[in-house]
């Protein structure tokens, strides 16, 4: 039985993996995300971003600057539903 | 030992819980469906994840990389644990899908089923983690390419439907104010805005307003009604928010809402925190266990509750009332959940750093919920780390205004979940009304300016 600590359930990222990412020189949340893939799965980081930020902050001694960019869709949507929006005028960009 | 349905008759005749539990809980089970070849009797309309839970199906899916067993953990669409295939549709969140008679539910990404998945060997083969950055490179090119093909087949979520899913039509709506979340703060805000003569649309993931208190089996808390002038869209989740539109998704499809102002009262995301085997089936958030309770289901028969998050004490009392064995380690933290396919025991650490191991068949963890900052952040609120809450929160002034005009935040999203179950609900209601007044003032000011320009 492997007693993994799951930091990000959706992408199966363990605490050990996040710690290794930090040891490899990724000292901010965004870099750790790019290295491990946490926060990029089904829940889009609802469960894991705070936990990862805390771990990175504890290990590096620096307060987290900000979260990874919360892009839409934040809730899963079937591509067919998105297609139902059709060709529309520019929606503007999320800031 | 497993989750089970309880009868209202197991409560004392005058128990206050009888006032909050629906009387239909003792009605006979009226739906029958198939899950991985097994016939399950359930109550139509209840969340499918709860029907499966009540039938003892704790493992509903397998994790994407290690094929670890997973089950419903949050019961409110904020985790991946309950993803199943329903009929021909892949990746259905069982916790967000009402149970219907005749459904055919199958597990995904597992062989032969999620309950017994041979690919679990991956988990044992990589006891700490799989190092993608070096592992595949070290094997050489041919082996690397072969591994990638295998890995791609084993990983991922679901397979496409055999026939195209029915087409949906999107809807357009306009309003003065879009209120996201119909909990204590959102309801108070929407009602205040309606009273100020504004056209308000309020969306919530649940089928009815109330939010957190709807799920709490505590006497003395009642759900405040929404003003009939407020348009309510239940079972709708906000997907993305842009300068000139917010997308919400519901059972029938997408709706694009165009609003002058947006008020985010979408509260918090419950989580169980980080500990060894925190993803085991049988580990639940307090809110998930409360939702199950309100549907007449106890998540286990020997339940350990750890922590003191909102609802933890109410849940403990509720379990005692129906005769479920419950231990509440209120001032402890979880070190490890034990078990192969589901929770069998838990090791907790006390404030004095003493550890104890307790056997159980369900573990409910009550850590401080995380502010659901994502939408407000997308709308243009500044998002900062809150060290005391250990999560990111949107920045706002005393009246819930954010850096971006027309974007407001209210309730536990910005003020956390301090206090007991009653005081917290009152504080959220007050905050919702306070922010709504500021919003209405700002809108009135803006209208005046536009008229006199």
């Amino acid at each position: 039985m492997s007693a993994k600590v799951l930091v990000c359930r959706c992408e199966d990222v363990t605490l050990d993996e996040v710690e290794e990412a930090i040891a490899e020189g990724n000292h901010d949340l965004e870099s750790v995300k790019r290295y491990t893939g946490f926060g990029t799965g089904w829940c889009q980081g609802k469960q894991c971003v705070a936990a990862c930020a805390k771990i990175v902050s504890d290990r590096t001694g620096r307060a987290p600057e900000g979260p990874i960019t919360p892009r839409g869709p934040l809730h899963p949507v079937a591509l067919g539903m998105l297609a139902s929006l059709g060709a529309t005028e520019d929606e503007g960009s999320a800031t | 030992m497993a989750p089970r349905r309880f009868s209202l008759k197991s409560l004392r005749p005058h128990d206050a819980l009888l006032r909050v539990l629906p009387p239909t809980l003792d009605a006979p089970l009226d739906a029958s469906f198939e899950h991985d070849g097994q016939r399950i009797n359930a109550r139509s309309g209840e969340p499918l994840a709860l029907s499966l839970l009540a039938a003892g199906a704790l493992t509903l899916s397998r994790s994407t990389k290690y094929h670890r067993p997973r089950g419903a953990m949050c019961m409110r669409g904020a985790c991946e644990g309950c993803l199943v295939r329903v009929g021909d549709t892949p990746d259905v969140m069982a916790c967000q899908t009402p149970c219907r008679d005749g459904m055919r539910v199958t597990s995904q990404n597992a062989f032969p089923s999620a309950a017994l998945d041979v690919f679990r060997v991956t988990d044992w083969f990589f006891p700490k983690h799989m190092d993608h950055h070096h592992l595949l490179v070290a094997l050489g090119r041919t082996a690397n390419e072969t591994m990638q093909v295998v890995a791609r087949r084993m990983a991922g979520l679901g397979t496409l439907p055999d026939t195209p899913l029915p087409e949906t039509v999107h809807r357009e709506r306009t309003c003065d104010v879009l209120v996201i979340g119909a909990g204590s703060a959102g309801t108070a805000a929407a009602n205040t805005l309606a009273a100020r003569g504004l056209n308000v649309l309020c969306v919530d993931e649940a089928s009815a307003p109330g939010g957190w208190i709807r799920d709490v089996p505590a006497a003395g808390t009642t759900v405040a009604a929404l003003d009939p002038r407020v348009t309510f869209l239940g079972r709708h989740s906000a997907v993305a928010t842009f300068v000139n539109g917010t997308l919400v998704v519901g059972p029938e499809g997408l709706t694009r809402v165009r609003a002058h102002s947006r008020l985010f009262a979408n509260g918090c995301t419950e989580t169980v925190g980080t500990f060894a085997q925190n993803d085991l089936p049988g580990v639940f958030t307090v809110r998930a266990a409360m939702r199950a309770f309100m549907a007449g289901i106890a998540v286990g028969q020997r339940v350990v509750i750890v922590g003191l998050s909102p609802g933890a004490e109410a849940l403990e009392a509720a379990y005692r009332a129906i005769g479920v064995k419950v231990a509440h380690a209120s001032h402890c933290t979880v070190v490890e959940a034990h078990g192969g396919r589901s929770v069998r025991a838990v090791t907790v650490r006390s404030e004095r750093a003493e550890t104890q191991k307790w056997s159980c068949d369900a573990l409910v963890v009550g850590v401080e919920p995380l502010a659901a900052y994502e939408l407000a952040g997308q709308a243009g609120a500044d998002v900062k780390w809150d060290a005391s809450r250990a999560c990111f929160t949107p920045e706002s002034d005393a009246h819930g205004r954010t850096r971006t005009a027309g974007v407001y935040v209210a309730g536990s999203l910005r003020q956390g979940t301090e206090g007991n179950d009653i005081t917290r609900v009152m504080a959220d209601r007050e905050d919702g009304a306070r922010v709504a007044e500021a919003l209405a003032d700002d809108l009135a000011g803006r209208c005046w300016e536009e008229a006199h320009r």
Side-chain angles (χ1 to χ4, degrees):
Chain A
M1 195 58 248
S2 53
K4 291 186 174 79
V5 178
L6 271 294
V7 176
C8 165
R9 294 166 52 107
C10 305
E11 291 297 298
D12 259 352
V13 178
T14 65
L15 174 61
D16 192 73
E17 196 169 352
V18 171
E19 283 175 337
E20 192 191 271
I22 298 166
E24 289 277 334
N26 301 286
H27 289 166
D28 62 279
L29 199 58
E30 183 65 32
S31 304
V32 174
K33 182 197 91 172
R34 288 174 192 214
Y35 194 87
T36 64
F38 88 80
T40 61
W42 184 268
C43 89
Q44 286 291 290
K46 296 182 190 89
Q47 292 284 338
C48 61
V49 166
C52 282
K54 177 101 173 52
I55 295 161
V56 175
S57 165
D58 287 350
R59 303 297 189 278
T60 61
R62 289 202 305 257
E65 282 179 18
I68 57 174
T69 311
R71 292 189 179 87
L74 292 164
H75 191 86
V77 183
L79 285 172
M81 284 190 185
L82 287 174
S84 77
L85 290 169
T88 55
E89 75 278 26
D90 184 13
E91 279 296 311
S93 58
T95 45
Chain B
M1 299 304 246
R4 65 172 172 92
R5 291 183 194 272
F6 61 87
S7 162
L8 294 177
K9 293 182 195 79
S10 60
L11 290 152
R12 281 173 292 122
H14 300 291
D15 197 304
L17 285 168
L18 291 170
R19 292 206 296 273
V20 289
L21 287 164
T24 48
L25 290 189
D26 277 351
L29 302 179
D30 60 344
S32 167
F33 68 95
E34 200 183 284
H35 175 239
D36 282 344
Q38 271 201 312
R39 187 125 304 264
I40 289 175
N41 294 318
R43 191 159 282 130
S44 58
E46 71 185 359
L48 178 60
L50 289 179
S51 311
L52 290 160
L53 181 71
L58 279 167
T59 299
L60 301 182
S61 66
R62 289 280 167 165
S63 71
T64 177
K65 208 191 296 178
Y66 303 118
H67 287 256
R68 292 171 65 82
R70 295 279 164 83
M73 184 267 283
C74 76
M75 290 288 179
R76 56 180 307 224
C79 78
E80 81 327 329
C82 67
L83 289 177
V84 290
R85 189 178 183 95
V86 175
D88 199 26
T89 310
D91 296 334
V92 173
M93 281 197 224
C95 73
Q96 302 287 293
T97 306
C99 173
R100 298 270 175 257
D101 188 58
M103 272 181 160
R104 196 167 49 82
V105 182
T106 45
S107 46
Q108 315 182 133
N109 311 102
F111 180 81
S113 69
L116 296 163
D117 180 10
V118 295
F119 297 130
R120 177 71 193 274
V121 292
T122 324
D123 191 28
W124 298 320
F125 201 73
F126 299 97
K128 288 186 166 175
H129 76 272
M130 195 189 287
D131 183 358
H132 306 272
H133 296 281
H134 301 104
L135 172 76
L136 297 179
V137 180
L139 288 175
R141 188 170 173 175
T142 313
N144 184 348
E145 281 169 2
T146 315
M147 275 289 280
Q148 298 232 17
V149 172
V150 175
R152 289 219 170 106
R153 285 186 70 95
M154 280 174 63
L157 289 172
T159 49
L160 287 172
D162 300 326
T163 51
L165 297 174
E167 278 188 32
T168 60
V169 181
H170 91 274
R171 291 176 177 75
E172 298 276 349
R173 281 178 181 267
T174 53
C175 58
D176 295 326
V177 187
L178 170 64
V179 176
I180 297 177
S184 300
T187 300
N191 290 353
T192 305
L193 293 164
R196 295 276 303 254
L198 292 164
N199 175 10
V200 185
L201 177 70
C202 183
V203 299
D204 195 276
E205 44 120 10
S207 56
W212 191 79
I213 7 174
R214 259 187 106 225
D215 298 333
V216 186
T221 49
T222 47
V223 176
L226 257 188
D227 188 306
R229 289 170 290 185
V230 174
T231 308
F232 177 68
L233 268 186
R235 293 191 63 204
H236 276 73
S237 301
V239 168
T241 187
F242 300 90
V243 176
N244 55 355
T246 298
L247 282 180
V248 295
V249 65
E252 273 87 50
L254 282 173
T255 301
R256 176 169 33 206
V257 184
R258 293 167 201 271
H260 281 291
S261 302
R262 289 163 284 173
L263 193 156
F264 295 92
N266 52 315
C268 297
T269 302
E270 292 80 15
T271 181
V272 296
T274 44
F275 53 86
Q277 301 239 81
N278 52 349
D279 62 331
L280 256 191
V283 177
F284 301 95
T285 64
V286 169
R287 188 150 181 192
M290 292 197 308
R291 282 202 165 175
F293 183 85
M294 296 303 265
I297 298 158
V299 295
Q301 288 175 56
R302 287 163 62 88
V303 180
V304 172
I305 305 173
V306 181
L308 260 179
S309 75
E313 286 176 316
L315 183 71
E316 180 193 0
Y319 278 165
R320 291 203 194 287
I322 55 166
V324 164
K325 282 185 185 154
V326 57
H328 187 181
S330 50
H331 292 91
C332 295
T333 50
V334 183
V335 178
E336 180 170 2
H338 307 272
R341 287 194 206 140
S342 65
V343 176
R344 290 280 165 267
V346 57
T347 301
V348 298
R349 183 186 290 125
S350 73
E351 285 176 313
R352 285 174 292 167
E354 294 160 343
T355 58
Q356 275 188 50
K357 188 173 175 179
W358 292 334
S359 70
C360 59
D361 60 359
L363 169 62
V364 180
V365 191
V367 293
E368 177 74 18
L370 311 165
Y373 68 88
E374 296 90 348
L375 280 166
Q378 218 175 64
D382 276 328
V383 176
K384 293 275 162 65
W385 178 253
D386 182 332
S388 65
R389 289 177 71 184
C391 66
F392 291 103
T393 54
E395 293 239 294
S396 57
D397 73 5
H399 298 273
R401 296 182 185 94
T402 68
R403 176 174 62 85
T404 301
V407 176
Y408 300 78
V409 290
S412 61
L413 169 61
R414 74 183 191 125
Q415 56 186 15
T417 57
E418 287 280 304
N420 67 35
D421 291 350
I422 309 291
T423 58
R424 186 172 45 248
V425 167
M426 300 317 282
D428 283 347
R429 280 182 190 158
E430 269 171 38
D431 197 50
R434 181 189 308 128
V435 175
E437 292 287 1
L439 189 160
D441 288 347
D442 292 350
L443 260 186
R446 214 200 297 179
C447 291
W448 191 89
E449 271 173 30
E450 277 167 16
H452 291 78
R453 194 169 290 160

